[in-house]
Amino acid sequence: MAKLDRPDWDNYFMEIAHVVTRRSNCSRRQVAAVIVKDTRIVSTGYNGTPRGIKNCDEGGCPRCSNPEIESGSSLEECFCSHAEENSIIQAAYHGISVKGSTLYTTFSPCLQCAKMIINSGVAEVVYHRKYSIADSALALLQEAGVAVRPLITPEEKKELGID
């Protein structure tokens, strides 16, 4: 009998996070987060404008709609909520504790999300791609005792020649 090609838990949850990005309405970057506790998904989130606000890709965010604003700048003017923020808020909205959980995210967290992750009790962050302005956020997470690690997918390992 042939052995099934089943993803390990990390890759399984990261693949789900990548599917969740398809719900993002941000016109600049699609990001998602999946919060897992005891190998069970307790919450998901993606980036986009708050509930009841015109979607970002429909002009709901003046920052994202302005092509003159460079990536990573004028973030204080962005109306969009981040994926990590939304996943934590969704859990709270439904009365679910994220204390001791693992947060899988398609991009490493920004500083604001890092503070929310720390204060919510998330124990570990696993990210796929490093966000360009994430150095201080990653340092803060590590200082607070939150485990942080990048995840290289099996496809990327093949491309890089890593077993």
Side-chain angles (χ1 to χ4, degrees):
M1 182 178 280
K3 186 175 188 268
L4 296 176
D5 185 21
R6 296 177 66 204
D8 61 25
W9 287 116
D10 283 340
N11 283 285
Y12 173 73
F13 293 123
M14 191 62 74
E15 286 177 27
I16 291 170
H18 280 285
V19 170
V20 174
T21 64
R22 294 174 35 207
R23 288 290 307 154
S24 169
N25 66 61
C26 182
S27 60
R28 294 240 174 167
R29 180 188 317 249
Q30 289 69 50
V31 181
V34 173
I35 299 177
V36 175
K37 209 170 179 181
D38 301 321
T39 64
R40 299 287 178 256
I41 295 171
V42 297
S43 185
T44 65
Y46 50 87
N47 62 325
T49 50
R51 190 178 284 139
I53 304 299
K54 187 190 305 185
N55 284 340
C56 179
D57 62 344
E58 298 168 337
C61 176
R63 178 203 173 263
C64 292
S65 298
N66 186 342
E68 294 179 17
I69 297 176
E70 293 183 29
S71 180
S73 66
S74 301
L75 296 176
E76 69 281 357
E77 295 177 25
C78 184
F79 287 4
C80 295
S81 296
H82 290 189
E84 302 92 334
E85 175 184 14
N86 276 331
S87 63
I88 292 167
I89 290 169
Q90 278 301 309
Y93 185 84
H94 293 286
I96 300 167
S97 171
V98 297
K99 184 178 180 182
S101 65
T102 299
L103 186 145
Y104 290 86
T105 182
T106 55
F107 279 88
S108 59
C110 71
L111 186 57
Q112 186 69 31
C113 288
K115 292 185 280 186
M116 286 186 190
I117 289 165
I118 293 164
N119 286 338
S120 69
V122 169
E124 181 179 31
V125 173
V126 180
Y127 66 90
H128 186 198
R129 298 268 187 250
K130 187 177 177 193
Y131 188 32
S132 60
I133 58 170
D135 290 338
S136 59
L138 295 174
L140 187 67
L141 287 165
Q142 290 172 339
E143 182 180 339
V146 176
V148 178
R149 59 190 168 90
L151 178 67
I152 300 173
T153 67
E155 295 79 20
E156 292 167 333
K157 286 181 180 180
K158 280 183 184 177
E159 288 174 16
L160 297 170
I162 302 170
D163 287 332

